[in-house]
């Protein structure tokens, strides 16, 4: 059998390859009948009534659509059976062929289809009368006659079914032919019933012609029964198709797959050649224009009908229909004829009052069929289902998108980045690395607190836009949360990842202008690569976080992950529980480092420094266990422990006649505790230490964070009489002018500048400026990190008053401090009311 070629269905002109043999069969059969029949023509008095009856019976009462063809169940077999018995054979062929021609002229078929239908009618009827001539003649209307008539009439239907299947096979492939045969089976069964009825009618006529009156009434009733059955059949089919449509739409769920589940079933339900869905662009969803075509697998990205129809339906929010059976917009007939569309219905898809798109069907299958008014309510029901399904699928798609994207920047979130990173790891090519870059925006909290969260959001959006516009096209940019952005892509090496990170950081650092405000934003960047720094997405994300945290310690830096960062982080994590037990068991110890006047080397106080000798890890760095205390909620308890130990020693020294001031370091988080000043007062009263002997030191980054948040707590502490000191001054971005608005008494110059004074003129100039300006503001200056006599002399020359460092003493436990103190104090200088003077250091 012929199948569908690679170029699709063949032209209908190929149907002449079937029409020609049918005409040949008709000619041969009629010629043979004319030669063998004793009287080929005759019975003209009954020919005209039978012709009229055949034309009337040719009106379909049931229709079946196969591909693009329409098969109708008619009552033509009833008058055909009568004609076989009542008139001569070639007269039967003539009136049956003429009746077929009249019926098909009424449908206005094209020449190819018209002559095919006339040919199969002539071939079928001529073959049937030839069969009748070949069978033994019978005179009465008995069982033998019944069988002859039944066999002859069946030959007409079998030849008709075979010819239709042949045309479908020739034009559209063997599957179409099989479909035509399968769909013709109900019609064949109906034809057999009609033949039986025709035989019954013949028996009644043979008995008396008056039975025609009863038969007329019976035929009218039978027509109504057929019509009722046809309506029931259509309703059943419609309900079945609607159920299948609803189930398919509900099961599809996905926005991207919904048109596949929808359009094919809509086309089948409406028996149309084309079904088209049009959704204009909306938000992040692009325009959708998809069409399901009869006999075409999949969906096509074009529409058969002009765009003017769907635009009118959308703009006016109403049904637009053009065709013989239904027309709402007659001015659109011309565009339809240009596109060779015979009829179309376009319905708007609504979401509430808004029109979100259109659904349309075009070209009712079967040349004799057209869309009618009764099709519109059914199509409106389909459109309502489609609109709800589309809105639900868009909602699900939007929820899924929001679940994997950041709402502010519209970038993928950490979850989405994790999935993309897992895929990138799987498809990495040999010799490549999968790079993960984490950008942490500096000082975003200050922007939020100073200018409001709206300004902070603008900064984040601008950073996202700059990253998106600067990264390579293969990179995926996402927001990990807060002020962190992630970039992942495949590169040739870790060095290339570091170079790209530095370039992107420079792009972000460009000035950001918002209205009249100009901001300078910097980032700390962490870098991790697969497979060097992790075997999966989770470990890479963890390690790039560690690298970014390490990068924060050096402003504006790019840090590549190293195993030492992870070991330190794991160590800190393990220290959390140990610190709590250490505080419970008094395992922490406080060391003291002397603070000395630089001119006469008199001891003016000590700085209290916590130390922890861990039983397993050995000596733990202060920055490690202080960070653990901050992140585990133990900071308040830890600070109180150091305060108590310092105040207790200060009380003991006062009772011994050698009062010394003690200095205790505070975390910036402590200044946010509104109860802390009251707790300090309680401890001062408990130990009986004058407030002026207590100095609280806060790092520059904590006290000068660009906001006024620490000021209320500082003022309450100052009102208690406690001295306040700015520690590590010079390492941040603040200036001495900022100190004027703070209630502080002392500035401590960071050791990095003090230690470089003897070799770096720049460090010397910085220390000189700090000392000079601080004194002008009435602030005392303490130099940290004094380790050489040359540094001491330089500090004396510029007028620095107090220093501490290894030149005088390292931090010492209380017992060793007492021994050192006894060894260093010059006995001749000890007098009541004076500070002890240290011996000259050799």
């Amino acid at each position: 059998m012929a199948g569908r070629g690679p170029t699709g269905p063949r032209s209908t002109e190929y149907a002449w390859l079937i029409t020609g043999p049918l005409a040949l069969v008709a000619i041969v059969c009629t010629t043979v009948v004319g030669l063998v029949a004793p009287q080929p023509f005759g019975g003209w008095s009954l020919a005209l009534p039978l012709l009229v009856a055949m034309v009337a019976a040719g009106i379909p009462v049931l229709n079946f659509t196969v591909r693009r063809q329409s098969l109708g169940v008619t009552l033509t077999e009833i008058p055909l059976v009568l004609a076989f018995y009542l008139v001569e054979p070639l007269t039967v062929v003539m009136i049956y062929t003429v009746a077929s021609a009249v019926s098909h002229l009424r449908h206005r078929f094209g020449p190819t289809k018209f002559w095919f239908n006339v040919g199969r009618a002539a071939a079928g009827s001529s073959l049937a009368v030839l069969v009748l001539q070949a069978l033994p003649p019978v005179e009465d209307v008995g069982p033998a006659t019944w069988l002859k008539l039944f066999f002859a009439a069946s030959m007409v239907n079998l030849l008709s079914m075979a010819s239709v299947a042949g045309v479908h096979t020739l034009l559209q492939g063997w599957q179409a032919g099989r479909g035509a045969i399968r769909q013709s089976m109900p019609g064949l069964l109906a034809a057999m019933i009609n033949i039986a009825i025709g035989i019954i009618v013949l028996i009644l006529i043979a008995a008396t012609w008056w039975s025609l009156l009863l038969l007329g009434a019976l035929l009218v009733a039978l027509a109504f029964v057929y019509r009722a059955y046809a309506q029931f059949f259509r309703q059943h089919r419609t309900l079945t198709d609607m159920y299948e449509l609803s189930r398919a739409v509900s099961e599809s769920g996905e926005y991207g797959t919904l048109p596949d589940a929808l359009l094919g079933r809509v086309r089948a339900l409406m028996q149309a050649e084309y079904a088209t869905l049009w959704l204009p662009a909306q938000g992040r969803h692009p325009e959708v224009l998809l069409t399901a075509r009869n006999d075409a697998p999949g969906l096509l990205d074009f529409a058969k009908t002009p765009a003017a129809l769907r635009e009118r339906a959308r703009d006016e929010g109403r049904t637009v229909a053009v065709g013989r059976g239904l027309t709402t917009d007659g001015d659109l007939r011309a565009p339809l004829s240009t596109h060779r569309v015979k009829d179309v219905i376009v319905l708007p898809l609504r979401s509430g009052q808004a029109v979100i798109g259109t659904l349309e069907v075009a070209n009712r299958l079967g040349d004799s069929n057209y869309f009618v008014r009764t099709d519109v309510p059914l199509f409106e029901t389909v459109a309502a289902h489609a609109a709800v399904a589309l809105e639900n699928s868009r909602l699900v798609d939007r929820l899924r998108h929001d679940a994997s994207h950041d709402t502010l920047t519209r970038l993928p979130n950490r979850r989405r980045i994790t999935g993309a990173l897992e895929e990138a790891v799987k498809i990495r090519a040999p010799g490549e690395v999968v790079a993960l870059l984490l950008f942490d925006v500096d000082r975003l909290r200050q922007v939020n607190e100073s200018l409001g969260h709206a300004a902070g959001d603008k900064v984040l959006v601008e950073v996202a836009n700059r990253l998106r516009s600067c990264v390579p096209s293969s990179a995926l940019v996402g927001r990990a949360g807060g002020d962190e952005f992630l970039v992942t892509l495949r590169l040739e090496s870790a060095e290339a990842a570091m170079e790209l990170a530095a370039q992107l950081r420079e792009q972000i650092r460009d000035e950001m202008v918002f209205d009249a405000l100009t901001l300078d934003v910097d980032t700390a960047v962490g870098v991790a690569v697969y497979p060097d720094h992790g075997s999966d997405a989770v470990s890479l994300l963890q390690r790039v976080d560690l690298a970014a945290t390490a990068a924060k310690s050096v402003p504006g830096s790019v840090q590549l992950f190293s195993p030492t960062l992870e070991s330190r982080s794991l160590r800190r994590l393990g220290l959390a529980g140990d610190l709590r037990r250490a505080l419970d068991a008094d395992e922490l110890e406080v060391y003291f480092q002397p603070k000395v006047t630089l001119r006469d080397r008199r001891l003016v106080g000590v700085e209290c420094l916590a130390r922890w000798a861990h039983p397993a890890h050995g000596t733990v760095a202060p920055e490690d266990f202080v960070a653990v205390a901050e992140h585990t909620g133990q900071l308040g308890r830890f600070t109180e422990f150091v305060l108590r130990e310092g105040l207790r020693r200060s009380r003991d020294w006062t009772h011994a006649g050698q009062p010394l001031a003690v200095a205790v370091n505070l975390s910036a988080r402590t200044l946010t505790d509104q109860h802390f000043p009251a707790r300090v007062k309680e401890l001062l009263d408990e130990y009986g230490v004058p407030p002026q002997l207590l100095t609280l030191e806060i790092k520059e980054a904590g006290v000068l964070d660009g906001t006024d948040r620490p000021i209320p707590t500082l003022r309450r502490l100052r009102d208690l009489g406690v001295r306040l000191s700015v520690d590590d001054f010079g390492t941040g971005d603040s200036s001495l002018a900022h100190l004027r608005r703070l209630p502080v008494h002392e500035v401590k110059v960071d050791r990095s500048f003090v230690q470089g004074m003897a070799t770096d003129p720049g460090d010397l100039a910085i220390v000189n400026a700090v000392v000079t300006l601080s004194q002008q503001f009435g602030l005392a200056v303490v130099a940290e990190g004094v380790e050489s006599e040359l540094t001491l002399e330089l500090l004396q020359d510029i007028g620095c008053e107090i220093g501490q460092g290894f030149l005088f003493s390292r931090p010492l436990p209380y017992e060793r401090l007492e021994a050192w103190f006894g060894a260093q104090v010059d006995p001749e200088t000890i007098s009541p009311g004076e500070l002890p003077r240290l011996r000259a250091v050799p």
Side-chain angles (χ1 to χ4, degrees):
M1 290 186 178
R4 181 183 298 178
T7 58
R10 292 174 174 173
S11 170
T12 55
E13 296 299 323
Y14 280 86
W16 289 106
L17 297 177
I18 302 295
T19 304
L22 288 175
L24 181 61
V25 169
I27 294 171
V28 171
C29 290
T30 54
T31 301
V32 173
V33 170
L35 295 175
V36 301
Q39 188 175 350
F41 293 96
W44 297 109
S45 60
L46 296 176
L48 182 60
L50 287 173
L51 175 63
V52 173
M54 286 184 183
V55 172
I59 301 174
V61 294
L62 286 177
N63 283 289
F64 301 94
T65 300
V66 182
R67 301 296 173 110
R68 295 197 59 190
Q69 306 300 321
S70 177
L71 303 178
V73 175
T74 65
L75 303 178
T76 53
E77 290 81 9
I78 297 176
L80 180 62
V81 169
L82 297 177
F84 282 148
Y85 186 81
L86 297 175
V87 298
E88 301 304 326
L90 292 185
T91 304
V92 175
V93 174
M94 183 182 68
I95 62 176
Y96 188 73
T97 304
V98 171
S100 176
V102 171
S103 298
H104 292 98
L105 280 174
R106 180 173 59 86
H107 294 320
R108 299 181 183 179
F109 287 163
T112 303
K113 190 168 185 178
F114 173 79
W115 288 113
F116 166 76
N117 286 303
V118 171
R120 69 188 175 98
S125 58
S126 60
L127 180 62
V129 296
L130 180 61
V131 170
L132 286 174
Q133 293 299 316
L135 294 175
V138 291
E139 298 298 331
D140 59 341
V141 184
T145 303
W146 302 348
L147 292 176
K148 286 178 59 177
L149 295 176
F150 189 90
F151 186 70
S154 298
M155 290 299 298
V156 175
N157 286 282
L158 290 174
L159 181 64
S160 176
M161 184 176 68
S163 61
V164 170
V167 168
H168 280 286
T169 302
L170 180 65
L171 299 184
Q172 299 174 333
W174 64 272
Q175 290 184 344
R178 290 176 57 187
I181 294 175
R182 186 169 56 252
Q183 294 289 344
S184 299
M185 289 303 172
L188 185 61
L189 177 62
M192 292 179 180
I193 296 174
N194 291 338
I195 295 171
I197 294 174
I199 294 173
I200 294 173
V201 171
L202 180 61
I203 294 172
L204 294 174
I205 292 176
T208 174
W209 283 91
W210 288 103
S211 62
L212 288 175
L213 297 177
L214 296 177
L215 290 174
L218 180 62
L219 287 175
V220 171
L222 184 63
F224 279 110
V225 171
Y226 265 72
R227 289 290 183 183
Y229 173 73
Q231 183 178 5
F232 169 76
F233 181 81
R234 285 195 299 268
Q235 291 175 347
H236 175 72
R237 185 186 63 191
T238 300
L239 290 175
T240 302
D241 290 345
M242 285 294 296
Y243 171 74
E244 293 294 333
L245 174 65
S246 301
R247 187 177 68 174
V249 167
S250 63
E251 289 178 353
S252 67
E254 299 285 344
Y255 177 72
T257 61
L258 182 60
D260 296 271
L262 176 68
L263 289 177
R265 288 171 173 82
V266 169
R267 188 205 58 73
L269 176 64
M270 299 301 298
Q271 299 182 36
E273 182 182 3
Y274 297 96
T276 300
L277 173 67
W278 177 54
L279 301 174
Q282 180 182 5
R284 67 181 186 86
H285 297 290
E287 180 185 24
V288 173
L289 182 63
L290 295 172
T291 298
R293 188 181 69 186
N294 189 49
D295 297 333
L299 300 181
L300 309 174
D301 58 352
F302 74 93
K304 180 70 173 177
T305 55
L309 279 78
R310 63 186 67 94
E311 290 175 355
R312 180 174 295 185
R314 180 195 63 178
D315 297 339
E316 300 180 9
R318 64 177 178 85
T319 301
V320 174
V322 180
R324 179 185 298 180
L326 174 66
T327 297
T328 61
D329 298 75
D331 59 315
L332 297 175
R333 287 185 179 273
L336 276 190
S337 61
T338 303
H339 288 74
R340 298 183 179 179
V341 177
K342 67 174 182 176
D343 57 351
V344 64
I345 301 177
V346 183
L347 286 180
L349 299 175
R350 299 181 181 276
S351 175
Q353 297 299 319
V355 176
I356 62 173
T358 61
L359 186 65
E360 66 185 64
V361 287
N363 286 358
R364 185 69 175 264
L365 291 176
D367 294 335
S368 62
N369 293 332
Y370 292 85
F371 294 118
V372 295
R373 294 188 181 277
T374 55
D375 292 322
V376 176
L378 173 63
F379 196 27
E380 288 176 343
T381 303
V382 173
H385 278 283
V388 172
L390 285 168
E391 273 302 287
N392 289 340
S393 62
R394 276 188 172 181
L395 176 60
V396 171
D397 182 68
R398 185 162 56 250
L399 291 175
R400 288 177 176 171
H401 179 272
D402 292 344
S404 60
H405 288 75
D406 172 53
T407 56
L408 175 64
T409 61
R410 300 299 179 185
L411 292 177
N413 57 18
R414 180 180 285 267
R415 176 183 177 185
R416 175 71 180 87
I417 288 287
T418 302
L421 195 57
E422 290 174 349
E423 290 298 321
V425 166
K426 293 178 182 177
I427 64 175
R428 178 185 69 97
E432 286 184 336
V433 299
V434 179
L436 185 62
L437 285 57
L438 177 60
F439 294 80
D440 192 303
V441 181
D442 288 341
R443 298 187 303 278
L444 183 65
R445 187 182 69 180
Q446 286 85 338
V447 173
N448 288 332
E449 293 174 348
S450 302
L451 305 176
H453 285 276
D457 290 345
K458 288 182 179 179
V459 170
L460 291 173
V461 171
E462 180 63 21
V463 171
N465 292 337
R466 291 187 180 185
L467 278 175
R468 198 158 28 196
S469 62
C470 297
V471 298
S473 58
S474 61
L476 178 65
V477 181
R479 184 183 177 197
D483 54 1
E484 295 180 341
F485 293 87
L486 286 168
V487 176
T488 180
L489 74 167
R490 295 193 299 246
L491 294 171
E492 58 272 15
S493 64
E495 290 74 18
M498 292 288 289
E499 182 179 351
L500 176 63
Q503 293 174 357
L504 295 176
R505 189 180 74 83
E506 289 301 320
Q507 294 292 332
I508 297 174
R509 289 184 65 186
D510 289 345
E511 290 183 345
M512 296 183 184
V513 180
F514 303 107
D515 299 328
L517 183 65
T518 301
L519 298 179
D520 188 8
V521 177
D522 203 351
T523 56
V525 190
V527 179
V529 299
Y530 170 87
D532 298 348
H533 303 144
S535 59
D536 53 39
V538 175
S539 60
L540 286 173
L541 285 166
Q542 174 191 357
R543 288 161 184 174
V544 81
D545 276 332
L546 292 174
T549 302
K552 292 179 185 179
S553 60
V554 181
S557 71
V558 178
Q559 176 68 53
L560 182 66
F561 172 80
S562 65
T564 57
L565 298 176
E566 186 172 39
S567 61
R568 184 173 182 182
S569 176
L570 291 173
R571 187 184 181 194
R572 283 187 176 182
L573 184 63
L575 291 176
D578 295 341
L579 178 60
R580 182 176 290 105
R581 289 190 293 270
L583 288 170
D584 292 338
D586 291 330
E587 294 179 1
L588 270 66
E589 191 174 0
V590 174
Y591 280 41
F592 305 90
Q593 185 173 28
K595 298 169 67 174
V596 179
T597 58
L598 299 181
R599 287 292 179 187
D600 52 10
R601 303 196 187 198
R602 293 186 182 275
L603 184 64
V604 295
V606 292
E607 180 179 1
C608 301
L609 302 169
R611 295 293 184 265
W612 184 15
H614 193 281
H617 299 295
T619 301
V620 182
E623 57 268 22
D624 285 344
F625 63 77
V626 170
V628 169
E630 288 181 343
H631 290 90
T632 57
Q634 302 181 71
L635 181 62
R637 187 181 177 191
F638 172 76
T639 303
E640 183 173 337
F641 164 76
V642 180
L643 271 173
R644 283 184 174 276
E645 185 65 15
L647 292 176
R648 182 166 71 89
R649 298 305 181 187
S650 179
R651 179 192 60 186
D652 294 344
W653 289 323
T654 300
H655 291 170
Q658 297 175 356
L660 287 178
V662 292
V664 176
N665 291 287
L666 294 184
S667 169
R669 292 193 180 186
T670 304
L671 297 180
T672 62
D673 183 2
Q674 59 180 348
H675 302 294
F676 179 70
R679 186 57 181 157
V680 171
K681 185 177 186 307
E682 292 175 2
L683 292 174
L684 288 171
D685 293 340
E686 179 181 346
Y687 288 99
V689 176
Q692 60 272 19
L693 291 182
L694 175 62
T695 300
L696 298 177
E697 298 182 0
I698 308 100
K699 291 186 181 296
E700 177 189 4
V703 73
L704 295 172
D705 62 353
T707 69
D708 293 335
R709 185 173 51 188
I711 292 180
T713 302
L714 293 174
R715 286 176 176 168
R716 291 175 61 190
L717 291 171
R718 180 198 59 186
D719 294 341
L720 291 177
V722 174
R723 290 176 57 82
L724 300 175
S725 175
V726 179
D727 196 9
D728 295 341
F729 190 82
T731 57
D733 296 331
S734 58
S735 66
L736 282 168
H738 294 156
L739 294 175
R740 300 182 63 183
R741 62 187 182 90
L742 296 177
V744 297
H745 306 85
E746 179 181 279
V747 174
K748 296 186 73 173
V749 185
D750 188 68
R751 68 180 68 251
S752 61
F753 301 111
V754 174
Q755 292 174 349
M757 289 175 58
T759 57
D760 190 341
D763 289 343
L764 177 60
I766 291 174
V767 176
N768 188 20
V770 172
V771 171
T772 302
L773 291 177
S774 296
Q775 290 174 346
Q776 290 180 359
F777 293 154
L779 301 176
V781 181
V782 178
E784 295 183 292
V786 182
E787 298 182 359
S788 68
E789 288 290 341
L790 180 56
T791 302
L792 177 62
E793 292 176 2
L794 292 173
L795 290 170
Q796 290 174 341
D797 291 342
I798 64 178
C800 185
E801 302 169 352
I802 304 172
Q804 66 182 92
F806 292 172
L807 178 64
F808 308 114
S809 174
R810 295 176 177 272
L812 300 171
Y814 177 73
E815 292 77 12
R816 292 183 57 189
L817 177 68
E818 286 293 308
W820 173 87
F821 185 65
Q824 296 293 324
V825 172
D826 187 352
E828 297 178 356
T829 62
I830 299 178
S831 59
E834 290 188 5
L835 294 172
R837 182 171 181 177
L838 304 181
R839 290 194 178 99
V841 179

